[in-house]
Amino acid sequence: MFEFIRTHQRLMQIFLAIIIVPSFAFVGIGSYKSFGDDASTIAKIDGKPLTQQEFDNAVRNQLDNYRQRMGAQFDQKMFDTPEFKQNVLDQLIAQRAIAAEVGHSHLSIGDAQLQKAIMDMFGGPASFDKERYIAILAAQGLRPEQNDARMRQELALQQLAVAVEGTGFAPRTVAKTLSDIAAQERDVQELLLPVADFVPQVKVTDEMVKAFYDKNSKFFEVPEQAKIEYVVLNNDAVAAQVSVTDAEVSDYYTKNVAQFTTPETRRASHILITLKKGASAADTAAAKAKAEAIVAELRKTPGDFAKVAKAKSEDPGSAEQGGDLGVIEKGVLVAPVENAIGKLKLGEISDPVQSDFGFHVLTVTELKPAVVKPLELVKADVTDLLKKQKAAKKYSEMAEAFTNTVYEQSDSLKPVADKLGLKIETASNVSRNPSPAPGAGAFNNAKFLTALFSNDSISSKRNTEAVETAPNTLVSGRIVEFKPASKRPLAEVDAQIRQRVTMEEAAKLAFKAGEEKLAAFKKSGDATGFGAAKLVSRQKPEGINGLAMQAIMKADTSKLPAYVGVDLPGMGYGLYRIDKVQQPAVADEAERKSQAEQIGNVIAQQEMAQYIEFLKQKAKVKILKPITKTTVTEVK
């Protein structure tokens, strides 16, 4: 869906940092309907009720959002939780509190500001297409006046957010301090005690292996698995059974030839002699006479139109361009001018045309006639379109038969496959959890797998019900062979456990040896065994492990040399000797500026979060009904 209405990006970034749940449509600012504190009221914000119906609508919107993002993996049961519902409620309360403040502050958006915002969505006035604008709104179930009200609300919210965000800035001293910390350099030597060096010292006993096996039994579980059969009814399966005749293609083409026609385009120019509204008869006659004189002049020398327009046109927007109006889009120009342009031949000079702006002298500078694509060129597209239309109609009929047959003849998938011309697919090693691997098959859907691994399906090996795994996609399956969850025997995993225990014990020895060396180095200040010195910083770790770098840069360097010991999981133990700390003389000013901006953004987000909490308090939010008792209505 074309996302035509967009909230200001900076505002959304701040909101997303504060409110985890994606946004819902705002209820009209200052126009909440009050139905009293009846049983349907969940909460009150600024004295106005938030009803159960409004909450349910918000939940549905949120579920639709997740449904679109997750596709076939969407399972509504995942969201029927108290946490999900509470997040929705928190989001609604925050939105209502913000909207109430906008209303109380009398923030309003003028017509000019609204018009500019709409035009900007199309790249400016020159690119604005009124018909396309209306069509986009209609696709979303909106009329222009509804969208105007919605955009006024959003622009008002932006005003409020920008005002709050603008108070967030990073003091120069703070930005400089943080920049200096990031750039600080330390002269470091490294001594590694690899875990592999301690492996020969480890002796793993049978008792140690058994203890690990018993304590970590979940590591050795083999999940339940099944070999399955399944059938899929989707648009592709239906389309394969649909045919389209040449006569049907020709008939559709004839009746819908406009779809295959590139309309005529006209580029025009004009010369305007302005006339104020309500002008006297004498002023009107004078303006018309001036226009007629220009017409007479141009009909003698039509090639001078641009030259005359620059000299005599009183339209400041087009005169400098020789009167060029560009390619004429329907509905952009006033009706008398548009109609006149539509009747002119290429290069013809019009009689004066009167509009609310004055008198226009018009000419068409470029004319491309309408072009109709021949049937031969579009035959494949029309055939595909008709097949899809037939398939959509046939799918509804087949879906009912599919659903009934897999249920009524549930001991086999063959009846439904034979009846509807479908193929029985098989899959092995299927578990009840969807596989993240791409292309895993139509059965790889949480809803379907839940039905497949139900107790009844496992025990009876009957067909599952028809499960909708995607739009116009039904799947039914049955378990052919089932292997319950089991635990791998100790003998089978003995070698694996011995290796794991060996490495764990070696890591303990490395840690112990490292701690002892660290204590000794701190007493002696010695550098024996350490590698060559490296000059490192937070921005340039020079190959030193990330955990080690954190410890190095946090180390107390008030007394040098300083020593740090770090346990490096899976690697061993690292010892680090810090011999020198230095600060670069001059930090990159561009980087300082960038860091200051980043800090300012963080501060702005914090202030916005605090401001929203303040607005909630100001709105005197009251929770009247625990939403954890409500249920998430199934969305079909």
Side-chain angles (χ1 to χ4, degrees):
M1 182 180 293
F2 186 91
E3 188 183 356
F4 185 72
I5 309 302
R6 300 171 187 258
T7 306
H8 191 279
Q9 185 64 32
R10 295 170 71 203
L11 174 63
M12 287 305 299
Q13 289 173 346
I14 294 174
F15 278 0
L16 289 174
I18 300 166
I19 305 169
I20 295 177
V21 188
S23 62
F24 308 104
F26 277 92
V27 178
I29 294 173
S31 63
Y32 305 135
K33 294 182 179 179
S34 177
F35 300 100
D37 296 341
D38 58 25
S40 70
T41 300
I42 294 176
K44 293 186 72 174
I45 304 98
D46 196 41
K48 300 177 179 65
L50 172 64
T51 67
Q52 179 72 48
Q53 181 180 359
E54 290 168 330
F55 173 76
D56 289 343
N57 289 338
V59 170
R60 291 190 187 97
N61 288 339
Q62 182 70 318
L63 289 173
D64 284 342
N65 187 305
Y66 279 110
R67 185 189 301 277
Q68 292 176 12
R69 287 161 53 187
M70 297 174 68
Q73 302 303 319
F74 175 82
D75 182 359
Q76 191 159 303
K77 294 183 180 66
M78 296 164 53
F79 300 95
D80 197 4
T81 65
E83 293 78 13
F84 173 75
K85 297 167 192 172
Q86 188 62 49
N87 281 339
V88 174
L89 180 63
D90 291 343
Q91 171 74 347
L92 285 173
I93 289 172
Q95 289 176 346
R96 293 289 180 88
I98 296 167
E101 181 63 17
V102 170
H104 294 323
S105 301
H106 304 293
L107 295 178
S108 60
I109 302 299
D111 291 343
Q113 188 176 355
L114 174 64
Q115 184 178 16
K116 182 179 184 302
I118 294 173
M119 295 287 188
D120 286 347
M121 292 176 180
F122 286 83
S127 303
F128 179 69
D129 184 333
K130 186 177 180 180
E131 287 191 355
R132 181 167 173 249
Y133 169 64
I134 294 173
I136 291 170
L137 292 182
Q140 300 180 53
L142 292 172
R143 297 190 301 275
E145 56 270 22
Q146 292 174 313
N147 185 56
D148 288 352
R150 183 174 169 180
M151 288 193 67
R152 287 184 196 275
Q153 294 173 12
E154 292 180 349
L155 290 169
L157 289 170
Q158 290 174 26
Q159 284 187 350
L160 179 65
V162 170
V164 176
E165 183 188 14
T167 64
F169 71 96
R172 185 173 299 177
T173 54
V174 173
K176 181 180 183 303
T177 299
L178 293 175
S179 179
D180 288 343
I181 290 173
Q184 186 187 85
E185 297 173 337
R186 296 190 172 193
D187 215 24
V188 176
Q189 294 172 274
E190 183 178 48
L191 171 58
L192 293 177
L193 303 180
V195 68
D197 291 353
F198 296 86
V199 168
Q201 302 177 35
V202 177
K203 302 300 179 186
V204 179
T205 66
D206 292 343
E207 289 75 17
M208 293 167 69
V209 172
K210 182 66 166 61
F212 186 92
Y213 180 77
D214 292 339
K215 185 178 179 181
N216 301 279
S217 59
K218 64 179 181 179
F219 294 157
F220 311 109
E221 290 178 354
V222 179
E224 59 188 351
Q225 294 182 344
K227 180 179 179 181
I228 70 168
E229 293 178 344
Y230 65 98
V231 288
V232 180
L233 177 68
N234 57 20
N235 287 334
D236 291 339
V238 177
Q241 304 179 36
V242 170
S243 61
V244 175
T245 66
D246 289 345
E248 289 173 321
V249 172
S250 179
D251 182 61
Y252 182 90
Y253 176 82
T254 302
K255 292 178 179 177
N256 298 276
V257 70
Q259 294 182 18
F260 312 105
T261 302
T262 302
E264 174 189 87
T265 59
R266 291 172 175 251
R267 190 182 189 98
S269 296
H270 84 145
I271 296 170
L272 174 66
I273 304 302
T274 58
L275 184 67
K276 294 180 179 180
K277 285 186 178 180
S280 66
D283 288 342
T284 301
K288 184 177 182 181
K290 191 174 180 180
E292 288 174 337
I294 292 173
V295 170
E297 176 185 353
L298 288 175
R299 283 179 175 167
K300 293 178 182 177
T301 56
D304 291 344
F305 195 99
K307 178 180 176 183
V308 175
K310 287 183 179 180
K312 299 183 179 181
S313 179
E314 296 172 2
D315 175 14
S318 67
E320 286 301 313
Q321 284 73 45
D324 183 32
L325 295 172
V327 176
I328 307 305
E329 300 286 347
K330 188 175 180 181
V332 174
L333 301 178
V334 291
V337 173
E338 184 177 306
N339 293 336
I341 290 173
K343 297 175 182 177
L344 289 174
K345 298 176 183 177
L346 182 65
E348 182 182 2
I349 306 299
S350 73
D351 291 330
V353 176
Q354 188 173 3
S355 76
D356 291 342
F357 300 99
F359 287 93
H360 306 257
V361 179
L362 304 162
T363 188
V364 174
T365 58
E366 184 180 297
L367 194 157
K368 294 181 180 179
V371 177
V372 180
K373 293 180 181 178
L375 176 58
E376 291 73 20
L377 284 181
V378 299
K379 184 176 181 180
D381 292 336
V382 174
T383 301
D384 185 56
L385 174 64
L386 292 178
K387 285 188 74 172
K388 287 180 179 177
Q389 290 178 350
K390 283 189 173 185
K393 183 178 179 182
K394 188 176 180 64
Y395 176 85
S396 299
E397 301 168 358
M398 293 178 68
E400 183 176 358
F402 183 93
T403 301
N404 292 338
T405 306
V406 298
Y407 176 76
E408 293 168 358
Q409 302 184 56
S410 60
D411 58 343
S412 173
L413 293 173
K414 191 173 185 301
V416 73
D418 291 344
K419 184 174 184 176
L420 301 179
L422 304 176
K423 181 182 178 182
I424 298 178
E425 306 280 356
T426 61
S428 300
N429 301 323
V430 177
S431 69
R432 69 173 64 229
N433 296 315
S435 169
F443 66 85
N444 191 44
N445 172 272
K447 248 168 129 178
F448 172 71
L449 292 174
T450 298
L452 185 69
F453 281 89
S454 67
N455 292 333
D456 183 58
S457 178
I458 292 172
S459 61
S460 67
K461 293 185 171 56
R462 292 186 177 276
N463 301 340
T464 67
E465 62 182 349
V467 178
E468 185 176 24
T469 59
N472 288 348
T473 302
L474 291 175
V475 181
S476 177
R478 59 188 297 269
I479 291 177
V480 178
E481 296 176 7
F482 178 74
K483 295 180 180 179
S486 60
K487 185 178 178 181
R488 297 173 67 185
L490 176 57
E492 187 179 310
V493 294
D494 182 87
Q496 177 186 339
I497 294 176
R498 286 183 186 276
Q499 183 179 9
R500 174 73 177 268
V501 173
T502 296
M503 296 307 293
E504 288 184 355
E505 293 300 315
K508 292 177 183 177
L509 293 174
F511 181 84
K512 181 181 179 182
E515 291 287 288
E516 291 173 353
K517 284 183 175 290
L518 178 63
F521 282 131
K522 285 182 176 180
K523 287 183 180 179
S524 66
D526 192 9
T528 303
F530 284 93
K534 295 180 180 180
L535 193 62
V536 302
S537 69
R538 287 178 171 84
Q539 299 165 337
K540 297 178 182 179
E542 300 297 336
I544 292 180
N545 179 277
L547 287 175
M549 275 301 302
Q550 292 180 30
I552 289 168
M553 300 311 294
K554 289 179 181 178
D556 181 5
T557 55
S558 57
K559 181 180 178 182
L560 296 174
Y563 293 87
V564 176
V566 184
D567 184 23
L568 304 175
M571 298 173 62
Y573 193 90
L575 293 156
Y576 300 90
R577 184 176 188 270
I578 305 168
D579 191 51
K580 183 170 61 176
V581 177
Q582 62 186 44
Q583 192 70 42
V586 179
D588 183 84
E589 288 303 318
E591 188 172 346
R592 281 191 188 276
K593 183 178 179 181
S594 174
Q595 290 170 347
E597 290 176 353
Q598 292 175 22
I599 298 165
N601 287 337
V602 172
I603 294 173
Q605 292 180 12
Q606 292 173 342
E607 292 191 357
M608 177 60 85
Q610 294 169 0
Y611 183 61
I612 288 178
E613 289 305 314
F614 164 73
L615 292 183
K616 288 181 181 180
Q617 295 177 14
K618 184 177 179 181
K620 297 179 180 178
V621 176
K622 294 181 180 178
I623 306 298
L624 304 178
K625 180 181 178 182
I627 52 94
T628 53
K629 293 184 179 179
T630 66
T631 58
V632 178
T633 305
E634 177 71 21
V635 180
K636 300 293 185 183

